[in-house]
Amino acid sequence: MRHDLITLRPEGLYCPAGDFFIDPWRPVDRAIITHAHADHARTGHRRYLASAEGERVLRARLGDITLQTLRYGERIYIGDAAVSLHPAGHVLGSAQVRVEVAGEVWVASGDYKLEPDATCTAFDPVRAHAFITESTFGLPIYRWPAQDALFAELNQWWRGNADAGRASVVFAYAFGKSQRILAGLDPAIGPIVCHGAVEALNRAYRDSGVALPATAMVSDGLDAAALRRALVIAPPSAQSTPWMKRFGDYADCFASGWMQVRGARRRRGVDRGLVMSDHADWPGLLGAIGATGASRVIVTHGLVQPLVRWLTEQGLDAGAFATSFGEETAEELGGQPGEQTV
């Protein structure tokens, strides 16, 4: 009879040997948190464990919590389970959770991407017997452009708008993607203005040692001429709100992996779509899974069945857990938490 190191319970992913949960969606005694996005890091747990790199962003989002942190690669024992955290490359502080019991190793990835960026530690594959993976973009159509090309495209668009006297507004998820975009901007073009929801996370990133260009808020009193040359970063929820009126006749752009789908830009009602995601694309998913050497793969959320089917066809023992992850992608598209956004 097979004894799984990580199982699914109503509260979330559970490790019986250590009596802890990974990213639980209901209150528990001990929670290991892979990263601070709201669908993985929730309030109400008695004790939290997360990466030291992500401490400030996690506290910024959850407030006063009982938190233990680990450096990447540092190993501790929780009950009979040896536990360590390893870089996932998704956002600042994101971690894969490695669990070892009696020589058997399972890794729960949380969310991840393989392309390095300047705002978080790059993904580091971990060898395992079983790998629990996301599948947000689990179809072969999802293949991301190179990051350098994306930033060159974004800065060129901003420069053209600034020269024409129009503000450039980029709608992007407030935590992770906004800071990644900031790190790739050319501040010589003009001022950079951030919505309050973005600026709160910028502070946590700077406090964590991440270099970001100088930013302003609209309350800082920039004059009309400066605003017409500005690049503005705002969450999708700000679209079509009174907050946007102060920028006059602006050009806008939506940054998301979903922009690769025909019609997504039109549905968002923006001038431009920037194909950028902090999740792995199809080649990234396959590359990460292959690098683990795992013979068993469990898919937790996203486009689950296509990935499970492909892995099964390759001879792997593949299946799925029905989880409550994925709300981040709903908010990214301006939907409601829990809404399917495929």
Side-chain angles (χ1 to χ4, degrees):
M1 181 178 178
R2 181 162 61 183
H3 295 282
D4 292 347
L5 299 195
I6 298 173
T7 64
L8 184 63
R9 287 181 40 168
E11 299 90 340
L13 304 181
Y14 178 66
C15 174
D19 191 25
F20 61 80
F21 290 83
I22 300 172
D23 294 345
W25 44 87
R26 296 182 183 176
V28 300
D29 180 72
R30 184 190 290 271
I32 298 180
I33 304 299
T34 63
H35 65 286
H37 276 139
D39 56 332
H40 292 258
R42 304 175 192 246
T43 58
H45 309 313
R46 193 166 78 86
R47 291 177 289 176
Y48 292 77
L49 175 69
S51 76
E53 181 180 273
E55 177 176 3
R56 286 177 174 82
V57 290
L58 191 60
R59 290 191 184 279
R61 306 208 87 189
L62 297 185
D64 185 17
I65 57 174
T66 301
L67 174 63
Q68 177 185 1
T69 63
L70 293 179
R71 299 183 305 275
Y72 288 132
E74 181 182 358
R75 181 178 294 195
I76 63 171
Y77 276 87
I78 304 175
D80 293 329
V83 176
S84 55
L85 305 179
H86 303 264
H90 176 54
V91 293
L92 182 64
S94 59
Q96 305 169 79
V97 182
R98 182 187 186 273
V99 178
E100 181 175 352
V101 178
E104 184 174 358
V105 176
W106 284 46
V107 171
S109 69
D111 292 332
Y112 62 90
K113 72 174 183 298
L114 269 61
E115 184 172 32
D117 75 63
T119 62
C120 64
T121 302
F123 179 87
D124 186 14
V126 180
R127 302 290 290 184
H129 298 98
F131 185 56
I132 301 175
T133 180
E134 64 146 313
S135 187
T136 303
F137 292 101
L139 284 175
I141 61 170
Y142 293 110
R143 298 171 186 265
W144 307 146
Q147 183 171 253
D148 288 348
L150 283 174
F151 287 139
E153 174 189 339
L154 181 59
N155 283 312
Q156 182 180 18
W157 173 74
W158 177 19
R159 187 177 293 107
N161 291 331
D163 290 345
R166 299 178 74 198
S168 303
V169 177
V170 179
F171 294 109
Y173 194 69
F175 169 38
K177 188 169 298 164
S178 289
Q179 291 73 37
R180 184 181 175 193
I181 289 171
L182 270 175
L185 294 177
D186 178 2
I189 298 172
I192 302 170
V193 176
C194 288
H195 187 279
V198 175
E199 190 61 26
L201 275 303
N202 293 345
R203 286 193 291 270
Y205 267 66
R206 291 185 177 109
D207 290 345
S208 301
V210 177
L212 297 175
T215 54
M217 296 178 64
V218 291
S219 58
D220 292 335
L222 292 175
D223 60 31
L227 287 178
R228 285 195 295 270
R229 292 195 62 85
L231 185 131
V232 181
I233 301 180
S237 58
Q239 192 175 14
S240 302
T241 65
W243 187 84
M244 300 301 306
K245 293 181 179 178
R246 66 202 72 199
F247 303 112
D249 178 28
Y250 59 83
D252 53 9
C253 169
F254 198 92
S256 171
W258 302 108
M259 293 296 105
Q260 189 153 44
V261 177
R262 186 182 301 274
R265 178 178 63 84
R266 183 182 65 252
R267 290 195 298 273
R268 288 302 315 182
V270 293
D271 302 320
R272 193 180 192 93
L274 187 72
V275 181
M276 175 183 284
S277 179
D278 291 328
H279 295 265
D281 60 4
W282 178 257
L285 289 169
L286 302 188
I289 292 167
T292 69
S295 59
R296 185 178 180 194
V297 180
I298 300 170
V299 185
T300 58
H301 63 289
L303 295 166
V304 172
Q305 290 310 315
L307 181 59
V308 170
R309 184 165 54 250
W310 191 92
L311 294 170
T312 301
E313 290 170 354
Q314 309 312 305
L316 296 177
D317 179 5
F321 280 159
T323 67
S324 292
F325 305 138
E327 293 176 8
E328 162 210 347
T329 54
E331 185 171 342
E332 183 180 43
L333 281 176
Q336 297 299 316
E339 177 180 328
Q340 293 299 313
T341 55
V342 297

